[in-house]
Amino acid sequence: MKRTNRRRVLQLGAGLGSGLLGKAEEGRAPGRPLSGYGERSKYVKPVRTMRQTKTPQAGSSATPLADMYGIITPSALHYERHHAGVPDIDPERHTLLIHGLVERPLLLTMEDIRRLPSVSRIHFLECGGNSGGEWQEKTGPDAQRSYGLASCSEWTGVPLRLALREAGVKPEAKWMIAEGADACRMQRSVPLTQDLDDALLAYGQNGEPLRPEQGFPLRLLTPGWEGNVQVKWLRRLFFTAAPHYTRDETSRYSDLMPDGKARIFTLMQEAKSLVTFPSGGRRLAGAGWYEITGLAWTGRGRITRVEVTLDGGNSWQDARLDEPVLRKAFTRFRLPWRWDGKDAVIASRATDESGYVQPMREQLIAVRGRNSGSHFNGVKMWRVQADGSVTNEDA
Amino acid sequence: MKTLRTAVALGLWTAGLVAAQAPKYGVGRAVSAAEIGNYGIMVGADGKGLPEGSGTAVEGKAVYAAKCGNCHGAKGEGGIGTALVGGKGTLATAKPLKTVGSYWPYATTVWDYVHRAMPFDRAGTLKYDEVYSVVAYVLFLNGIVEEKQVMNASTLPKVRMPNRDGFVPDPRPDVGRMGKARE
């Protein structure tokens, strides 16, 4: 009895919300029918942003980080970085060749690869050039356009070492050249270090096959390293004693320092974090309670701490980390905040299990100058102004 | 120090693989050298893997005009595509220009990349002689080789690029406190 009443009240509420009041006689028609493949609500509109370019096959699109909940990036919003477009690959015809300094050169079909023992793990993926604009005088105006070339997915695949055992890597092999099946046949030289212990030949992403933009049907996943080395549309692994110094590890994805020398094979994505609310472009309705939240990640394992400042870095307090805190994965942090309606400069700072503390932007620039272009992981400040608007704070 | 650690790690992970040499699952199949050939050549920085063929800047000029200049500019100055020429002496300035001439450490890389990825809209269509020729032309535009200098599998790896010694190993972590956050 009581329950019925409550339901009526809820229905009335729904009617009010849907503007059906006054049409009581018509009643409520049912909604959309069943569908084979779901779409998000038409009221939910965040999309990946792109820069204007004459060659949209060779560019990047960024994840709307400020619109994300939790730690998983919806596959359709995972950031993109392509160098010669997204190839159309029939998985029935796709193969992986393993050759070079191996005992048994091997050809694997996707069916072969799926027969090997597999794992599913949650890992972030970040472009080595993410936040590249933050080195410049004018920084990115919002979370998406400053830190958006980072996303996090559950990946499924075969541990790389299991597949390599089938081919038998020779002791003199120290590098692995990974090649993609995109038009440019993207190649990167991968050092055979212990960081590859958790490397995967990945074919699954968030419960379904990889999205084409993420390398369907097969990609290399080397968690914690820059995205470019985690070659998509993987068609070949070639074992050598020395790196090949390919275009994308020399001309690109190298970090130019103030003395004119460039750092090479800068693979590690160091600890980084970002307040996603409040962040640039948002507006607070007025003084009162809000939840400050954001994301932290590190290529060196787990995030152990995230601190938040409300006064531009003069003082810091610990944010709460959502459990579980996973290795080389987005970690969600939260801090309830009562805004007094005055100017506030808000930022987060991450620490990881190696003891590394995310540096301030000025510290990075002082050491590496402004021409590095890559691997910016400095603290990002947002200014909340008295009118509730939120902007980037370059100072 | 960091370089040393990396070197040690390189040995360790490979050793782990070697200790478990016998295939366990027996999936996949053996491939012949001919089949591997179908996957395309692999080119090392020492020139290993470079195919037969040759060319000079004289021939490369025509190839460049027909297939490269549209995007990279008539003289390699850049356009839709990146600049290939110039930038010498700019790497340590506020406006560095990274080109084949000012930045790329190996001539073999130019050959490999042109062969795999260029032209952008028709990658993989250049013949080996055309690749040698057009690479010779780009090197010539940068003042690195003579106009009639023959580029082939033995001469190209010997070309010394101006920025050959311009790269250093990754020294990170180089910024940020490594101790406990609050002490």
Side-chain angles (χ1 to χ4, degrees):
Chain A
M1 187 66 180
K2 250 185 178 174
R3 188 170 288 175
T4 313
N5 284 343
R6 206 169 106 215
R7 193 177 297 156
R8 269 197 200 132
V9 171
L10 285 173
Q11 283 168 348
L12 181 62
L16 282 163
S18 315
L20 286 174
L21 198 69
K23 291 190 179 177
E25 284 168 21
E26 289 176 30
R28 293 175 302 279
R32 282 191 295 107
L34 303 169
S35 56
Y37 196 82
E39 299 292 338
R40 63 181 175 175
S41 160
K42 67 183 179 186
Y43 303 105
V44 177
K45 296 182 174 171
V47 292
R48 298 186 284 223
T49 48
M50 290 159 266
R51 278 190 210 144
Q52 288 280 341
T53 170
K54 284 177 183 162
T55 51
Q57 303 93 341
S60 61
S61 70
T63 295
L65 291 175
D67 296 295
M68 303 287 97
Y69 302 136
I71 61 170
I72 298 294
T73 310
S75 300
L77 293 173
H78 192 292
Y79 84 85
E80 297 174 279
R81 175 73 176 103
H82 313 310
H83 295 76
V86 180
D88 179 355
I89 299 174
D90 177 354
E92 296 291 319
R93 305 182 65 181
H94 188 73
T95 53
L96 174 67
L97 173 66
I98 303 177
H99 70 128
L101 293 174
V102 298
E103 300 291 342
R104 298 169 293 278
L106 208 58
L107 194 66
L108 296 156
T109 63
M110 286 306 299
E111 195 182 343
D112 292 331
I113 290 167
R114 283 191 294 263
R115 283 172 58 186
L116 290 167
S118 59
V119 295
S120 294
R121 283 199 231 106
I122 294 172
H123 289 303
F124 78 85
L125 196 63
E126 182 181 17
C127 178
N130 190 26
S131 314
E134 303 295 294
W135 293 104
Q136 304 303 314
E137 296 281 352
K138 267 179 81 76
T139 59
D142 55 38
Q144 186 167 21
R145 283 178 283 176
S146 58
Y147 275 49
L149 299 184
S151 306
C152 187
S153 300
E154 184 200 65
W155 305 97
T156 297
V158 176
L160 176 64
R161 61 189 147 74
L162 293 189
L164 297 189
R165 176 172 170 173
E166 297 301 299
V169 177
K170 291 182 176 174
E172 56 267 38
K174 298 284 185 277
W175 294 77
M176 172 178 87
I177 318 298
E179 181 183 83
D182 44 351
C184 65
R185 297 284 193 252
M186 164 65 67
Q187 284 187 2
R188 285 294 304 259
S189 304
V190 184
L192 300 179
T193 76
Q194 279 178 317
D195 278 356
L196 293 182
D197 275 349
D198 54 7
L200 299 179
L201 299 175
Y203 49 77
Q205 179 185 4
N206 296 333
E208 62 178 356
L210 295 176
R211 289 293 175 103
E213 300 98 311
Q214 308 314 326
F216 180 83
L218 187 71
R219 79 173 301 160
L220 179 63
L221 202 79
T222 57
W225 284 357
E226 67 181 8
N228 182 254
V229 81
Q230 309 188 43
V231 173
K232 298 184 282 188
W233 315 294
L234 187 68
R235 74 192 289 263
R236 159 175 18 205
L237 296 171
F238 178 71
F239 287 82
T240 68
H244 276 188
Y245 295 100
T246 67
R247 178 258 197 180
D248 285 283
E249 60 210 21
T250 53
S251 162
R252 304 297 164 92
Y253 300 98
S254 53
D255 306 26
L256 186 60
M257 295 294 113
D259 64 358
K261 301 283 187 194
R263 296 173 178 179
I264 195 169
F265 300 118
T266 41
L267 303 175
M268 178 62 68
Q269 295 297 117
E270 297 189 288
K272 187 164 175 175
S273 70
L274 177 73
V275 171
T276 56
F277 185 87
S279 62
R282 298 293 149 126
R283 180 175 285 269
L284 306 192
W289 284 100
Y290 293 90
E291 184 186 62
I292 294 175
T293 186
L295 294 164
W297 62 94
T298 173
R300 293 200 178 94
R302 283 185 182 80
I303 289 292
T304 53
R305 180 183 205 183
V306 176
E307 297 159 281
V308 169
T309 180
L310 305 169
D311 56 12
N314 290 319
S315 63
W316 298 84
Q317 56 185 301
D318 283 317
R320 180 170 60 80
L321 307 184
D322 272 10
E323 295 287 341
V325 175
L326 301 169
R327 297 181 69 251
K328 306 180 185 181
F330 274 3
T331 299
R332 172 67 61 174
F333 66 85
R334 305 174 194 276
L335 181 71
W337 172 50
R338 189 172 180 182
W339 183 40
D340 59 9
K342 294 176 186 152
D343 259 31
V345 178
I346 298 181
S348 62
R349 175 171 77 184
T351 302
D352 70 23
E353 63 182 324
S354 77
Y356 178 90
V357 182
Q358 181 184 4
M360 304 300 285
R361 175 164 171 265
E362 314 82 79
Q363 290 179 288
L364 280 171
I365 291 170
V367 173
R368 301 188 201 159
R370 292 185 180 274
N371 293 328
S372 155
S374 299
H375 303 107
F376 179 94
N377 68 322
V379 166
K380 174 81 176 174
M381 304 260 184
W382 304 116
R383 176 178 290 277
V384 179
Q385 300 178 74
D387 67 356
S389 63
V390 187
T391 57
N392 55 313
E393 175 78 2
D394 294 329
Chain B
M1 183 62 188
K2 177 72 181 171
T3 314
L4 184 66
R5 279 210 304 272
T6 306
V8 171
L10 279 171
L12 280 176
W13 203 71
T14 316
L17 287 175
V18 172
Q21 279 296 291
K24 182 168 178 181
Y25 302 103
V27 300
R29 66 170 178 82
V31 267
S32 66
E35 279 180 293
I36 291 172
N38 290 336
Y39 274 73
I41 56 174
M42 296 293 276
V43 177
D46 57 1
K48 200 172 168 189
L50 277 173
E52 294 201 0
S54 67
T56 68
V58 176
E59 296 121 30
K61 189 175 182 177
V63 179
Y64 184 91
K67 305 191 172 180
C68 316
N70 244 1
C71 294
H72 292 286
K75 290 283 178 190
E77 70 276 15
I80 295 172
T82 52
L84 306 174
V85 176
K88 207 175 273 184
T90 66
L91 295 183
T93 70
K95 292 212 164 155
L97 179 61
K98 299 193 246 180
T99 72
V100 168
S102 69
Y103 197 59
W104 292 43
Y106 293 96
T108 50
T109 305
V110 189
W111 196 99
D112 171 58
Y113 184 67
V114 169
H115 170 248
R116 267 190 294 120
M118 291 290 120
F120 184 70
D121 57 349
R122 294 192 65 195
T125 54
L126 293 177
K127 296 179 178 70
Y128 293 154
D129 284 344
E130 289 179 306
V131 181
Y132 280 114
S133 304
V134 83
V135 169
Y137 183 63
V138 171
L139 294 174
F140 166 70
L141 288 176
N142 277 291
I144 298 168
V145 302
E146 303 294 327
E147 195 165 15
K148 292 181 180 168
Q149 205 170 326
V150 176
M151 291 292 109
N152 58 34
S154 88
T155 58
L156 184 73
K158 296 191 185 100
V159 172
R160 187 167 175 87
M161 300 295 275
N163 197 40
R164 170 70 182 79
D165 296 327
F167 293 83
V168 295
D170 183 3
R172 296 176 303 160
D174 58 336
V175 185
R177 280 181 289 144
M178 287 301 291
K180 290 217 170 82
R182 207 174 272 170
E183 273 178 343

